[in-house]
Amino acid sequence: MKASKIVVAAAMLTLAASGSALAFHDGGVATCDGCHTMHNSQGGAQMTKNALAVGTTNAYLLQGSDDSSTCLVCHGKAPAGSGYKVLDPAAAAGAAPANFTPGGDFGWLKKDYTWTLPRPGSSKGERHGHNVVANDFGLVADATLTTAPGGTYPAANLGCQSCHDPHGKTRIIDAAGTMATSAPGTSVLPIGDSGSYGAMPDANQAVGVYRLLGGAGYAPKSYATSPFTAAPPIAVAPSTYNRAETTTDTRVAYGKGMSEWCANCHQGLHNDAYPTNLRHPAGNAALMTNVLANYAAYVKSGDLTGTNANAYSSLVPYEEGTADRAALVLHAKTDGTAKSGPDATSNVMCLSCHRAHATGWDSMSRWNNKTEFLTVAGDFPGIDAPTQEGKDYASGRTQAEQKGSYYNRDKAAFAYAQRSLCNKCHAKD
């Protein structure tokens, strides 16, 4: 018996280290005491994460002193690089945060940069992502943007729970992607599995929505005014997703609805009437014929010899324009076998240019939009680059930080002088 337990424990550790998805939430509400502590104590001791006075409790009897800190108890501690980690809490100076999830690592929020060449500039950590408030992990509200750009959601209330429903009430109930939400007076199928990796509902059980994202009408307890009118997006991720992309891309198959869901909070950025006119086409509008041709042909700056069969890049993903999750499963890969590019039903979305959590660059862009060059003289720029030109285009980062921001891609994946990846669609370089 003792030997068998050791084997099982070793197998569980192997799964955790591999970066594969682990089953805690299982698509919906998880074990209650994984997040809450019924008597405001643990192991016989009072919860003291926030220096609480005797007789007071953490809000909602949470394990952390706030919502996001509770999520990061599991999702934010070492070892970084495990599948479900989204915060490397202490990336060393000059080193990139260690997690490579499709959403990015919140550790970039803790990195500020300034530089003088080729012209003076700066890049504050708060510009690198969604500034979730997690006091136990040193993450604070955005001091500059006090509400969501294009919306009204207050920065002081922003947390993991602002986007993700920790209780996962919304579910997918059929193969067509139909969604339903449990509510008083209703009867819906129970959630039996995560919906993030392609599991399908059947006649007896539903699956959760992608990444437990909030459904229409969702409002976290910490901010009871719901901005949610759009349903969660249809998407499928590979089960191994927190990994460097040194040789192959991690392909999340986005189906439809991502931009519409982001517009729950950023509605002004999807509205022609927004006064600062920031609108970029995103959502249901199919890619134009010339954009399809550019995406297929573009390999890197100056190289337009690619074919649609090998066109996909996780640095510039797109939506496939379908709710058919069974079809999306065929594209959700990490082994490089799903490289086909967009077709006439595909469209650009918010995540074509941004990551959902944080990146090494302003506006949580997937690449540096504050410089002419992403590579210089065939190498990543950096304050530690061997050439002065490499130093000039460093934007305050080291070569390791530059490479890490691109998920450890080899420099050979880019041109000798690589310009902005906007050109994957626009081919202006």
Side-chain angles (χ1 to χ4, degrees):
M1 177 66 75
K2 184 178 292 185
S4 65
K5 287 182 178 179
I6 292 172
V7 171
V8 170
M12 292 177 69
L13 286 171
T14 300
L15 277 173
S18 71
S20 297
L22 300 181
F24 175 69
H25 296 284
D26 277 326
V29 63
T31 306
C32 300
D33 64 2
C35 302
H36 300 276
T37 169
M38 184 177 294
H39 299 291
N40 194 46
S41 64
Q42 189 143 339
Q46 181 192 7
M47 300 298 290
T48 56
K49 293 182 185 298
N50 206 24
L52 297 171
V54 174
T56 62
T57 63
N58 283 9
Y60 317 113
L61 292 171
L62 292 171
Q63 297 265 0
S65 64
D66 52 51
D67 298 41
S68 294
S69 294
T70 300
C71 298
L72 293 174
V73 166
C74 290
H75 292 280
K77 288 187 175 179
S82 297
Y84 51 89
K85 305 295 185 181
V86 297
L87 169 67
D88 180 357
N99 293 299
F100 299 119
T101 69
D105 192 314
F106 284 114
W108 289 109
L109 297 175
K110 296 189 175 188
K111 289 183 168 285
D112 297 325
Y113 302 99
T114 59
W115 60 92
T116 58
L117 295 171
R119 61 195 66 86
S122 64
S123 178
K124 295 178 66 175
E126 67 175 19
R127 295 278 64 77
H128 297 160
H130 278 112
N131 288 267
V132 294
V133 177
N135 289 313
D136 300 345
F137 291 83
L139 300 179
V140 299
D142 193 320
T144 305
L145 300 176
T146 57
T147 58
T152 60
Y153 199 96
N157 294 91
L158 182 65
C160 304
Q161 80 292 346
S162 299
C163 297
H164 304 277
D165 178 357
H167 300 125
K169 291 185 177 181
T170 303
R171 64 209 67 198
I172 298 172
I173 60 174
D174 59 31
T178 305
M179 297 182 191
T181 301
S182 62
T186 65
S187 177
V188 293
L189 289 173
I191 297 173
D193 204 345
S194 170
S196 296
Y197 311 104
M200 299 297 288
D202 58 32
N204 298 308
Q205 63 183 26
V207 297
V209 296
Y210 185 69
R211 296 302 188 219
L212 296 175
L213 294 175
Y218 168 68
K221 288 289 186 182
S222 55
Y223 185 69
T225 302
S226 174
F228 287 77
T229 57
I234 298 292
V236 175
S239 59
T240 300
Y241 55 86
N242 190 349
R243 55 186 287 278
E245 298 182 27
T246 308
T247 56
T248 60
D249 290 4
T250 298
R251 182 166 185 171
V252 177
Y254 297 102
K256 63 188 305 183
M258 180 58 73
S259 293
E260 291 79 3
W261 186 85
C262 293
N264 282 322
C265 288
H266 301 286
Q267 62 269 27
L269 302 187
H270 300 256
N271 184 344
D272 286 325
Y274 191 55
T276 51
N277 194 27
L278 298 176
R279 187 180 189 276
H280 183 287
N284 289 327
L287 293 171
M288 295 180 291
T289 301
N290 65 318
V291 172
L292 288 171
N294 289 340
Y295 193 103
Y298 192 90
V299 178
K300 50 193 173 184
S301 289
D303 186 345
L304 297 176
T305 62
T307 65
N308 200 59
N310 293 289
Y312 179 81
S313 170
S314 65
L315 286 177
V316 194
Y318 54 86
E319 277 187 336
E320 300 186 22
T322 180
D324 185 348
R325 294 171 67 253
L328 296 176
V329 168
L330 302 178
H331 283 166
K333 304 287 186 182
T334 59
D335 61 3
T337 59
K339 287 288 291 180
S340 60
D343 59 26
T345 66
S346 303
N347 59 263
V348 69
M349 58 168 178
C350 299
L351 297 189
S352 296
C353 303
H354 308 277
R355 292 194 188 272
H357 291 160
T359 73
W361 311 110
D362 283 16
S363 301
M364 52 206 212
S365 173
R366 290 174 180 263
W367 60 90
N368 188 0
N369 276 311
K370 279 195 167 183
T371 187
E372 290 93 335
F373 298 106
L374 308 187
T375 59
V376 177
D379 203 354
F380 293 106
I383 57 176
D384 55 345
T387 66
Q388 184 59 48
E389 188 179 22
K391 292 179 172 68
D392 289 349
Y393 289 95
S395 297
R397 282 83 167 171
T398 64
Q399 287 187 301
E401 288 173 306
Q402 300 265 353
K403 184 175 182 178
S405 75
Y406 302 119
Y407 284 32
N408 281 357
R409 275 175 170 71
D410 190 273
K411 59 190 178 186
F414 301 97
Y416 186 83
Q418 177 66 49
R419 293 180 180 268
S420 170
L421 294 179
C422 294
N423 292 294
K424 179 66 170 168
C425 290
H426 298 289
K428 299 299 185 182
D429 59 339

